[in-house]
Amino acid sequence: MEQSASIYDVHKIVNACHSDPFSVLGIHEVSSPDATKRLFAIRSFMPNAKDLYVIKDNKRYLMEKIHPDGFFEVFLTDTVFFSYKFEITDYNDYTFDVVDPYSFLPVISDYDLYLFNEGNNYKIYEKLGAHICTINNVVGTLFAVWAPSAKNVSVVGSFNQWDGRRNPMRYRGKSGVWELFIPYVTSGELYKFEIRTSDNQLLVKSDPFANYSELRPKTASIVYDLDNYNWSDASWIYERDSKTNFRKPISIYEVHLGSWQKPYPKCDSFLSYRDLADKLVSYVKNMGYTHIELMPISEYPFDGSWGYQVTGYYSVTSRYGTPTDFKYFVDVCHNNNIGVILDWVPAHFPKDEHGLAKFDGSCLFEHCNSKQGEHPDWGTLIFNFGRHEVKNFLIANALFWFDKYHIDGLRVDAVASMLYLDYGKKDGEWIPNKWGGKENVEAIDFLRHLNSICYKYFPGIMMMAEESTSWAMVTKPTDVGGLGFSYKWNMGWMNDFLQYLSFDPIYRKYHHNLLTFSMVYAYSENFILVLSHDEVVHQKGSMINKMPGDYWQKFAGLRACYGFMFCHPGKKLLFMGNDFAQFDEWNYTKSLDWHLLKFEYHNKINAYIKDLNFLYRSQKSLHEVDFTYDGFEWIDCNDNNHSVICFIRKALDCNDFLIIICNFTPMVYNDYRIGLPKSGHYHEIFCSDDDKYGGSGVCHPDGIWAEDVCFHNRPFSAKLSVPPLAISIFKPD
């Protein structure tokens, strides 16, 4: 006797609330009255179908519509399970064939799901999300999403009229993962997940693992094939992974892609990744930088967040083009010997309805308790680093950028907010750890795990921490108790140095320690000296406007500032616009003021930064020994009356060294004597007071000769004229 679908099951399917649609839809063996034949029921829900046929062995079998909304059923006999497809005639009398999504077995393996639940499936981005694939010779897209608290989940999109009844997903048991292979859905299709929560609310969410998304304010995810690009950077990757970065010159140009340059003045549009591959890469290469650091390009809804409130962690922002376009940008960078670093934000995420917040109606990615799960100052949610799947989501995301986009490093944003449970919170607004302390033990373990895994699979990459406190051992290996980062932004140097520069030169002698104190802790971490975007927004003033004095003194002071930075131990980072002395603060809504390069002083300081970059790269003593005492010696750090310091920078070969003198007053000091480590002639290889940079020309084209006069506890010394607001660099012949 034929067994039709129960009224209960039909009702649940028609109303998109069945927890196990595969138990109803598709092909199922039922009791057969004929012992020699097996009887199969084929069921489908097609609300757009006027008539529906099963095509089996080139024969058509009309299906019975047993519910007016479009639930169809037919019974066929055979000796074994068989393949079939549907022929649909819609209400416009258009006829076409489709393959039944409910005729396929599960795709994601139980082992993959087990590893994900354990937090160790580091390529989970190849399973969850939307992936174009071929199954049983049928091309389509496999959709999968983690939503363990959902009653049921459907794929909705442009291919099913955003109807949540059409494509309910298969639940993969305790894993919390839902999956569905939909034939014929390919690249470019829009989609989301419709989620019914435990209290029967309907949520429509973007895909957390989406590879591409609609341009804001739209929020749909887009099916995209990430394996459609032929890379040409194999030699770069090999070279990167075969050597350590610590002894290389690293000079980073920090960029916000949307405001670096506009297609034309006063427009709201952006240069594309391909435009930037031409214009930005050419500029960076010409200026001598070694790396570009991009402010976040993971998809984000609000331009004013600058990308630091992410909704699409696996989706490169569509503001500037497609994922393929971004791959082209990275490829061009590598072929021009420029590394690419991304700002990455695992500390928090926004509350936008289409994003991760309350993803399946429960606190899935975040903590449930607001004292653990919210940043009151930022209005964002904090990841639950104690949950295996959340850690897996984030660690796999870091690996995703290295794997799929060949990125060379991640600068991890707001690490301090991850390390401290009371970060940005008042008493009573946070919950201590199990020992009563304020350290976020789960986040600490996450960071150590993150770094160890990233270096295991991609040994040549860089992991950089923006950590603004004095947390110990940020850049020490995890096996000795460190966090495992390769570099840390030196926020202490930046704050002290900019405070020092803010004083009128006449008062700087009273604050000399701000200039020299950084050497007390310079080797406690592997530091990057940064003058970043954070220092030129929110009424802090541009770099040139931080300099006191008249017009000439501002530019001279800025040259001295950059010169000291490039000679100080540590790798380097400058934000865009700093290198041609833009007067206005950075504004993310408009282009940099490139027209300033038409003016002499701006053009000359741009040339100065270019020469400084190439000097830094060519002189091993300026970059080879940044993180031990062997690369630096004070000659004199105590001349606060003149606001002059002088020191030695050394390469691995101790005979390769430079003498550096910095004057932070607008006075020329003639017959100024400094101690020298060896006899002979020293030629001046760089002078920021050169007239070609806009200086006063107090330089030493003939160099200086060491005299047999002990000074500064050195066996030799020399007299020279110290130029005003300037840096002079000498090298022994």
Side-chain angles (χ1 to χ4, degrees):
M1 182 178 178
E2 296 179 353
Q3 297 174 352
S4 294
S6 70
I7 296 174
Y8 173 84
D9 283 334
V10 173
H11 174 80
K12 288 285 188 180
I13 292 293
V14 168
N15 289 281
C17 57
H18 203 294
S19 60
D20 186 13
F22 276 82
S23 67
V24 180
L25 302 176
I27 183 171
H28 300 274
E29 186 172 7
V30 296
S31 299
S32 172
D34 184 351
T36 63
K37 293 285 187 178
R38 298 171 69 182
L39 183 64
F40 298 93
I42 301 175
R43 305 184 185 102
S44 179
F45 180 61
M46 295 275 189
N48 63 322
K50 182 171 69 173
D51 295 309
L52 188 63
Y53 291 85
V54 169
I55 309 297
K56 171 182 176 288
D57 299 330
N58 295 319
K59 295 182 180 179
R60 299 164 73 241
Y61 300 91
L62 180 65
M63 300 183 71
E64 179 185 1
K65 182 184 285 189
I66 65 172
H67 192 285
D69 284 358
F71 193 100
F72 293 85
E73 182 178 64
V74 69
F75 294 89
L76 301 176
T77 58
D78 208 325
T79 57
V80 294
F81 274 92
F82 50 86
S83 60
Y84 64 94
K85 61 182 178 179
F86 293 132
E87 180 187 283
I88 299 173
T89 300
D90 65 18
Y91 286 95
N92 294 317
D93 291 326
Y94 178 69
T95 300
F96 54 94
D97 292 347
V98 297
V99 177
D100 185 5
Y102 300 92
S103 65
F104 295 88
L105 295 173
V107 179
I108 303 175
S109 72
D110 290 337
Y111 184 62
D112 277 318
L113 297 174
Y114 167 79
L115 289 178
F116 174 59
N117 292 141
E118 290 293 304
N120 299 319
N121 193 330
Y122 301 123
K123 283 198 170 185
I124 191 62
Y125 52 83
E126 293 185 344
K127 305 299 178 181
L128 300 188
H131 300 281
I132 299 170
C133 55
T134 301
I135 301 176
N136 298 340
N137 296 318
V138 177
V139 177
T141 296
L142 174 66
F143 296 92
V145 64
W146 179 53
S149 295
K151 279 189 172 181
N152 55 279
V153 182
S154 296
V155 183
V156 294
S158 51
F159 45 85
N160 63 14
Q161 290 73 54
W162 303 93
D163 186 346
R165 303 173 300 165
R166 296 273 295 276
N167 292 122
M169 304 177 76
R170 169 189 274 126
Y171 187 53
R172 296 300 304 275
K174 294 180 180 180
S175 70
V177 171
W178 303 73
E179 70 164 54
L180 183 67
F181 175 73
I182 305 181
Y184 306 155
V185 172
T186 56
S187 189
E189 296 280 8
L190 304 180
Y191 72 99
K192 285 188 177 183
F193 294 114
E194 183 181 278
I195 299 171
R196 185 178 296 276
T197 69
S198 59
D199 58 357
N200 287 316
Q201 293 185 45
L202 275 184
L203 306 176
V204 181
K205 293 284 191 175
S206 300
D207 181 3
F209 285 87
N211 296 140
Y212 191 36
S213 305
E214 283 189 296
L215 179 63
R216 53 87 179 102
K218 297 179 180 179
T219 58
S221 303
I222 303 175
V223 177
Y224 199 89
D225 181 8
L226 280 186
D227 298 322
N228 62 351
Y229 185 83
N230 294 318
W231 290 91
S232 61
D233 63 348
S235 60
W236 166 272
I237 298 296
Y238 175 80
E239 179 73 13
R240 182 195 74 184
D241 288 349
S242 61
K243 295 180 180 179
T244 178
N245 288 297
F246 296 124
R247 290 176 180 167
K248 295 178 181 178
I250 295 179
S251 178
I252 303 167
Y253 185 64
E254 187 191 20
V255 179
H256 177 261
L257 291 180
S259 59
W260 179 74
Q261 195 176 103
K262 293 286 188 179
Y264 51 90
K266 296 182 180 180
C267 74
D268 294 328
S269 58
F270 308 110
L271 293 178
S272 70
Y273 293 120
R274 291 181 181 269
D275 293 332
L276 292 159
D278 176 25
K279 297 181 179 182
L280 174 58
V281 174
S282 296
Y283 177 78
V284 169
K285 183 178 182 180
N286 179 62
M287 288 296 293
Y289 295 101
T290 63
H291 291 75
I292 296 172
E293 179 176 322
L294 304 179
M295 292 169 67
I297 59 163
S298 299
E299 194 59 80
Y300 58 100
F302 176 49
D303 290 5
S305 76
W306 312 335
Y308 290 101
Q309 295 195 7
V310 180
T311 52
Y313 276 81
Y314 289 81
S315 179
V316 63
T317 180
S318 56
R319 286 167 173 80
Y320 317 118
T322 68
T324 300
D325 294 335
F326 182 62
K327 289 183 179 184
Y328 175 79
F329 171 83
V330 176
D331 212 11
V332 170
C333 286
H334 288 171
N335 282 289
N336 284 277
N337 295 314
I338 296 168
V340 181
I341 301 163
L342 297 186
D343 277 11
W344 187 59
V345 192
H348 62 117
F349 58 94
K351 299 178 181 179
D352 296 67
E353 288 185 1
H354 69 282
L356 300 179
K358 292 290 183 72
F359 186 78
D360 62 356
S362 70
C363 297
L364 190 61
F365 289 90
E366 68 272 31
H367 291 275
C368 289
N369 192 322
S370 62
K371 292 183 178 181
Q372 295 174 293
E374 291 195 34
H375 276 302
D377 290 342
W378 300 339
T380 54
L381 300 174
I382 301 169
F383 282 104
N384 182 353
F385 299 110
R387 190 161 191 170
H388 295 317
E389 295 90 348
V390 173
K391 288 187 291 186
N392 201 153
F393 172 80
L394 291 169
I395 292 173
N397 183 239
L399 295 172
F400 166 83
W401 292 105
F402 299 132
D403 179 17
K404 297 297 185 181
Y405 288 102
H406 294 201
I407 296 303
D408 303 291
L410 296 177
R411 175 265 197 185
V412 183
D413 181 64
V415 170
S417 74
M418 301 171 68
L419 296 175
Y420 298 98
L421 295 166
D422 65 342
Y423 186 90
K425 297 179 180 179
K426 301 174 184 177
D427 289 344
E429 292 181 348
W430 60 283
I431 298 175
N433 62 33
K434 58 184 177 181
W435 295 289
K438 62 181 180 180
E439 298 80 11
N440 190 335
V441 178
E442 293 170 342
I444 295 165
D445 289 343
F446 162 75
L447 290 171
R448 288 172 175 160
H449 191 184
L450 165 74
N451 287 320
S452 63
I453 293 299
C454 286
Y455 286 119
K456 176 181 177 180
Y457 291 105
F458 300 95
I461 54 91
M462 297 181 287
M463 298 294 287
M464 305 174 179
E466 188 228 1
E467 202 284 307
S468 55
T469 72
S470 56
W471 186 278
M473 302 176 69
V474 172
T475 58
K476 297 299 184 285
T478 57
D479 57 2
V480 297
L483 294 183
F485 287 96
S486 45
Y487 299 103
K488 174 181 173 176
W489 275 25
N490 196 336
M491 313 295 278
W493 170 85
M494 178 269 298
N495 283 312
D496 288 350
F497 188 46
L498 292 183
Q499 185 180 357
Y500 176 80
L501 292 174
S502 70
F503 293 112
D504 188 287
I506 198 171
Y507 300 116
R508 285 177 177 170
K509 62 184 178 181
Y510 303 114
H511 306 280
H512 198 68
N513 63 306
L514 292 173
L515 188 61
T516 60
F517 180 68
S518 59
M519 292 312 302
V520 173
Y521 60 87
Y523 311 113
S524 61
E525 303 281 5
N526 303 330
F527 282 120
I528 298 177
L529 306 183
V530 295
L531 294 173
S532 72
H533 68 275
D534 281 327
E535 309 319 311
V536 292
V537 290
H538 304 320
Q539 283 74 56
K540 293 179 184 176
S542 64
M543 283 302 300
I544 186 69
N545 270 330
K546 295 181 192 296
M547 304 298 134
D550 59 24
Y551 192 74
W552 185 91
Q553 289 178 359
K554 283 181 177 292
F555 279 88
L558 192 59
R559 291 193 299 272
C561 161
Y562 293 153
F564 175 66
M565 173 186 179
F566 273 76
C567 292
H568 190 291
K571 307 309 181 186
K572 324 298 176 190
L573 179 144
L574 278 178
F575 183 56
M576 63 182 197
N578 287 350
D579 52 358
F580 62 83
Q582 176 166 308
F583 272 103
D584 286 347
E585 283 192 333
W586 170 57
N587 184 339
Y588 74 92
T589 66
K590 68 174 189 175
S591 170
L592 296 180
D593 294 334
W594 292 103
H595 63 277
L596 292 176
L597 288 173
K598 297 177 182 178
F599 298 94
E600 179 185 7
Y601 274 29
H602 295 277
N603 189 271
K604 286 184 173 181
I605 202 163
N606 193 238
Y608 172 76
I609 292 294
K610 177 180 178 179
D611 289 354
L612 197 56
N613 263 325
F614 282 102
L615 175 79
Y616 166 69
R617 294 173 64 167
S618 66
Q619 297 298 319
K620 291 183 178 180
S621 53
L622 291 180
H623 63 253
E624 208 170 50
V625 190
D626 273 322
F627 307 124
T628 69
Y629 290 96
D630 301 327
F632 179 94
E633 287 182 28
W634 282 115
I635 296 174
D636 183 14
C637 62
N638 296 314
D639 189 5
N640 62 304
N641 283 326
H642 294 96
S643 296
V644 172
I645 56 173
C646 46
F647 54 91
I648 302 172
R649 286 301 310 273
K650 295 182 290 184
L652 285 172
D653 178 358
C654 60
N655 293 311
D656 183 356
F657 66 89
L658 298 176
I659 305 296
I660 294 127
I661 305 101
C662 304
N663 177 10
F664 289 98
T665 73
M667 303 294 295
V668 178
Y669 299 118
N670 294 310
D671 295 327
Y672 190 92
R673 184 175 291 276
I674 64 168
L676 297 172
K678 62 182 287 187
S679 62
H681 181 260
Y682 292 73
H683 61 282
E684 188 175 51
I685 64 170
F686 196 80
C687 176
S688 70
D689 199 46
D690 195 311
D691 57 6
K692 70 178 179 180
Y693 302 132
S696 61
V698 181
C699 299
H700 304 79
D702 298 326
I704 56 176
W705 285 91
E707 305 173 19
D708 289 332
V709 176
C710 293
F711 200 72
H712 288 145
N713 294 317
R714 305 280 175 176
F716 307 96
S717 63
K719 285 185 177 180
L720 67 154
S721 295
V722 180
L725 292 171
I727 181 168
S728 303
I729 305 176
F730 295 88
K731 186 169 186 174
D733 291 340

